[in-house]
Amino acid sequence: MTLPEKPDRTDEMLRAVGAVAVETGVPVYAVGGAVRDRLLGHPVLEIDFVVAGNADAPAFAETARRRLRGTGYTVFERFGTCSFLVEPYKLEFAGARRESYRPDSRKPEVQPADLSEDLARRDFTVNAMAMGIRKSDFGDLIDPFDGRSDLAGRILRTPLDPLATFSDDPLRILRAARFAGQLGFRIHPDTLAAMRADRERVRIVSQERLSDEILKMLSQPVPSVGLRILQETGVLEIVFPELSALTGVEQRDDFHHKDVFEHTLKVVDNIARMTDKPLLRFLALVHDIGKPQVKRFVEGVGWTFHNHENVGERMLKRVCGRLKLPNEYLKYSRKLTALHMRPIQLIGGDVTDSAVRRLLFQAGEDIEDLMMLCRADITSGNPRRAEKHLKNFDAVTERMREVEEKDKMRAFQSPVRGEEIMELCGIRPGPAVGRLKTAIEEAILDGLIPNEHDAARDYLLKIKDQALADPPVKTENQ
Ligand code: ATP
Ligand code: MG
């Protein structure tokens, strides 16, 4: 049975803003991603509007907010934009503008402009369409660069000369790679060539914008698409050299060493199928970055990467700092990168409880994430081998559960304490006290009585004569 789709209320939202445009006589259009995604039939949650005709965008936005009972009104002075929320939508308003860049600066000079100039400064033709939202022009496209055809052909291409477009704002190079993955589009060959040619320009982009884009790429359902494009255009070498350095295969004797970059992409795609958690996706991306430094060929054994987890952990301090990621990325990815080989060492029959306990303690609340990484790390093309590895991790997980259970029992204490047992039973310190305590604990664990003082005391009074009369029985645990 298919569930009825949630009604998409995007058009209702657009018409509501359109009504305010009619009322105020301001020419307002929806633009960019919302127009693109609406035509593609993708869900829309953020809608950008252009306020054309030199009208005052903040004034229009404020009127619209009042009419639509929007919340969280925010003004971004620097960009001349305002936004507010009408759940579940985020609406953003900007005046039509033109941006010009000087070659030495990434800060554009912004001037008011007409709608077609505003569309021309946008990154890709499919993002450079505006749409009428008033009753009289609802759904009409203003599409000077034929974004419609590129949408149909699933092509990303810049509206103007790609070299100039990327040079003006080189973040667009990363956006192209990200949209290729997000939309499942091809990048036009001329656009792709310009990405490669202009790649050095990404150095002028602020680290915050770059990292934000890298994290957006990681949040895609198949993150490898964008990452591979960055690698192939030489951009990754500039924005994330430690990842780019994972590329390369070597053959020596009969030993083939698999490409760590390709392996990493598979791990990232695997984890993307398991979780949306950004930290875990980032961890999948970086967990092997120590490998190139420790790679050795050992005669008769093959390629080894001894200690790569600890080298990776140390590298992450510098990497996360340079990427200016929030501190939790550093803490989390270092900790779990250092631990990522440990569950493998717990495979097999001769592992002690204390080895299991040590890992449980060190991983703490992140143990499930660590096990998820380990499962995603299985990239063997041989289904039987992959199945075997997964089964091994099932066994490790089960073993962890058992050890935790045992430890819980050990930490467990009868709600009736020794002193009280002696008093109630009229006995002196000795092994009988322990036996009675154990009997109470067993009754609680067996679910005979609740883990409460009064119930335990009543139970003790009921069994004490019998228990004291019986000789102690030796069990396996004693
Ligand atoms: P998504 O929200 O899915 O990332 P989007 O297309 O809405 O996609 P935004 O970053 O929200 O992307 O930007 C909205 C619109 O603004 C884009 O569609 C594009 O027209 C324009 N835009 C955003 N960033 C740039 C940029 N760096 N250069 C040129 N145009 C841009
Ligand atoms: Mg958007």
Side-chain angles (χ1 to χ4, degrees):
M1 192 187 81
T2 51
L3 290 169
E5 258 181 56
K6 248 205 267 166
D8 185 346
R9 310 189 60 182
T10 306
D11 280 6
E12 220 174 291
M13 187 74 258
L14 291 168
R15 284 181 194 277
V17 177
V20 183
V22 172
E23 185 197 321
T24 54
V26 175
V28 178
Y29 299 86
V31 72
V35 175
R36 177 198 71 215
D37 288 341
R38 179 181 175 276
L39 290 172
L40 286 171
H42 293 178
V44 171
L45 288 174
E46 272 182 43
I47 311 175
D48 292 297
F49 296 92
V50 175
V51 177
N54 270 331
D56 183 346
F60 177 80
E62 179 50 35
T63 308
R65 187 200 61 76
R66 267 189 274 116
R67 292 280 187 285
L68 308 172
R69 298 178 210 288
T71 57
Y73 188 77
T74 319
V75 181
F76 305 93
E77 295 268 356
R78 238 187 84 209
F79 306 104
T81 62
C82 338
S83 71
F84 59 84
L85 304 171
V86 181
E87 290 297 343
Y89 298 99
K90 183 177 176 208
L91 311 181
E92 194 160 322
F93 298 83
R97 59 191 194 267
R98 174 156 49 104
E99 291 169 1
S100 54
Y101 295 79
R102 288 194 311 267
D104 56 331
S105 164
R106 59 175 176 256
K107 295 225 167 56
E109 283 165 16
V110 178
Q111 286 131 4
D114 65 23
L115 185 58
S116 60
E117 283 175 306
D118 182 288
L119 294 174
R121 73 172 172 88
R122 291 176 184 266
D123 47 6
F124 306 105
T125 59
V126 295
N127 287 347
M129 295 182 276
M131 186 190 110
I133 56 171
R134 289 165 292 189
K135 207 168 184 175
S136 55
D137 67 353
F138 191 88
D140 294 352
L141 283 188
I142 296 140
D143 182 15
F145 304 101
D146 202 10
R148 246 224 105 157
S149 298
D150 284 343
L151 208 60
R154 309 179 77 78
I155 293 172
L156 287 165
R157 137 178 40 209
T158 58
L160 303 177
D161 169 42
L163 281 169
T165 303
F166 290 136
S167 178
D168 281 349
D169 178 4
L171 184 74
R172 294 166 182 164
I173 296 175
L174 277 79
R175 284 173 61 89
R178 192 239 310 168
F179 281 124
Q182 179 175 329
L183 303 172
F185 284 17
R186 238 164 11 91
I187 301 177
H188 188 277
D190 296 346
T191 299
L192 194 66
M195 289 166 70
R196 193 174 286 121
D198 270 339
R199 67 179 182 277
E200 286 294 332
R201 286 281 287 170
V202 301
R203 293 189 198 278
I204 68 158
V205 180
S206 74
Q207 187 58 55
E208 286 80 358
R209 291 181 83 207
L210 291 174
S211 293
D212 191 49
E213 200 52 52
I214 291 168
L215 292 182
K216 273 192 189 157
M217 207 173 282
L218 273 179
S219 74
Q220 302 300 323
V222 188
S224 64
V225 177
L227 291 165
R228 185 174 278 116
I229 292 169
L230 290 189
Q231 175 72 330
E232 286 168 1
T233 48
V235 176
L236 199 63
E237 201 182 324
I238 299 168
V239 299
F240 211 145
E242 297 83 357
L243 281 183
S244 166
L246 300 179
T247 306
V249 288
E250 261 179 83
Q251 185 82 30
R252 243 200 250 181
D253 304 343
D254 284 337
F255 297 100
H256 177 80
H257 134 52
K258 70 178 170 182
D259 187 313
V260 183
F261 183 72
E262 284 301 321
H263 166 71
T264 297
L265 292 187
K266 280 192 196 145
V267 181
V268 172
D269 285 349
N270 285 347
I271 211 95
R273 269 184 256 114
M274 302 173 177
T275 177
D276 287 338
K277 190 173 172 177
L279 286 172
L280 195 35
R281 290 186 173 204
F282 180 73
L283 172 68
L285 186 67
V286 297
H287 76 286
D288 273 344
I289 57 168
K291 276 191 171 173
Q293 265 190 49
V294 300
K295 187 176 101 179
R296 296 267 179 286
F297 184 77
V298 180
E299 287 305 333
V301 174
W303 295 98
T304 65
F305 299 96
H306 182 65
N307 204 34
H308 74 275
E309 65 276 29
N310 294 314
V311 171
E313 186 230 41
R314 282 199 293 277
M315 287 169 71
L316 280 170
K317 189 158 185 199
R318 204 179 55 239
V319 168
C320 293
R322 192 188 67 231
L323 295 180
K324 298 201 167 134
L325 294 173
N327 204 34
E328 56 173 342
Y329 278 83
L330 172 67
K331 265 176 59 188
Y332 179 91
S333 62
R334 282 184 77 185
K335 171 177 157 186
L336 295 187
T337 294
L339 293 177
H340 86 268
M341 299 302 286
R342 296 275 296 281
I344 294 172
Q345 293 156 4
L346 298 182
I347 291 171
D350 55 347
V351 172
T352 61
D353 281 3
S354 64
V356 176
R357 194 172 293 122
R358 208 170 305 129
L359 180 58
L360 283 172
F361 176 73
Q362 286 174 310
E365 61 183 8
D366 299 319
I367 188 69
E368 274 154 35
D369 288 9
L370 181 65
M371 293 310 293
M372 211 188 280
L373 174 69
C374 287
R375 288 168 189 278
D377 207 1
I378 300 170
T379 60
S380 167
N382 175 340
R384 260 206 261 125
R385 187 173 302 171
E387 189 59 32
K388 195 187 95 192
H389 291 321
L390 279 174
K391 284 230 171 74
N392 284 337
F393 284 132
D394 285 345
V396 170
T397 307
E398 176 59 22
R399 185 75 197 276
M400 287 175 172
R401 212 191 49 76
E402 282 166 18
V403 170
E404 267 181 332
E405 200 57 39
K406 270 193 215 167
D407 287 356
K408 240 185 259 158
M409 304 254 259
R410 192 165 311 154
F412 176 77
Q413 286 229 322
S414 159
V416 177
R417 313 306 297 267
E419 293 282 328
E420 199 181 350
I421 291 174
M422 290 188 275
E423 205 182 298
L424 288 171
C425 303
I427 55 174
R428 298 154 78 73
V433 183
R435 270 205 327 274
L436 289 167
K437 216 194 232 173
T438 307
I440 296 171
E441 289 169 358
E442 289 295 323
I444 293 169
L445 291 172
D446 287 344
L448 289 176
I449 55 168
N451 185 8
E452 287 160 9
H453 172 267
D454 289 3
R457 187 196 51 209
D458 293 348
Y459 177 76
L460 173 67
L461 292 174
K462 208 160 67 191
I463 61 147
K464 72 177 168 63
D465 293 338
Q466 182 71 44
L468 288 172
D470 286 344
V473 182
K474 277 227 177 284
T475 72
E476 269 177 66
N477 292 331
Q478 279 174 327

